[in-house]
């Protein structure tokens, strides 16, 4: 079961990095129009959209990706807590 926990946390970590790259691409003109940008948009936008509906931008700054990253961090901590509670680690 330790390998399952490791696999799930690694997936969350990779997805977090993909989100960070996608967010940083918004700072560069036309970066999201590239093939990598389109691929990351297909992966990241479905996750970010619910956060954007709930959290409005503050001026020109969209803080919903920050909240989305915090949720992923809490999910990782929750997995560790769940596996510890079930004595699987």
């Amino acid at each position: 079961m330790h390998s399952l926990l490791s696999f799930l946390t690694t997936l969350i970590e990779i997805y977090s990095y993909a989100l960070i790259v996608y967010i940083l691409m918004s700072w560069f003109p036309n970066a999201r129009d590239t093939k990598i940008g389109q691929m990351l948009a297909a992966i990241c936008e479905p996750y970010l959209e619910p956060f954007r509906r709930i959290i409005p931008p503050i001026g020109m700054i969209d803080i919903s990706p920050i909240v989305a990253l915090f949720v992923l961090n809490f999910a990782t901590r929750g997995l560790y807590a769940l596996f510890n509670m079930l004595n699987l680690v």
Side-chain angles (χ1 to χ4, degrees):
M1 282 299 190
H2 179 68
S3 61
L4 177 62
L5 176 64
S6 178
F7 176 73
L8 291 174
T9 56
T10 302
L11 279 180
I12 292 173
E13 186 176 348
I14 290 169
Y15 194 73
S16 296
Y17 289 135
L19 279 174
I20 291 169
V21 169
Y22 183 67
I23 293 164
L24 292 176
M25 288 179 87
S26 69
W27 295 358
F28 300 101
N30 300 325
R32 289 188 177 175
D33 295 334
T34 63
K35 288 202 181 251
I36 294 173
Q38 292 172 357
M39 179 187 69
L40 286 175
I43 295 170
C44 297
E45 279 300 326
Y47 177 68
L48 290 173
E49 187 202 341
F51 293 101
R52 288 190 176 130
R53 277 188 278 145
I54 296 169
I55 304 164
I58 299 174
M60 300 267 310
I61 300 173
D62 183 14
I63 61 167
S64 59
I66 297 169
V67 176
L69 287 171
F70 279 130
V71 169
L72 285 177
N73 188 337
F74 288 136
T76 302
R77 291 177 187 217
L79 281 174
Y80 278 111
L82 178 65
F83 275 70
N84 282 334
M85 188 170 60
L86 297 175
N87 292 325
L88 298 174
V89 177

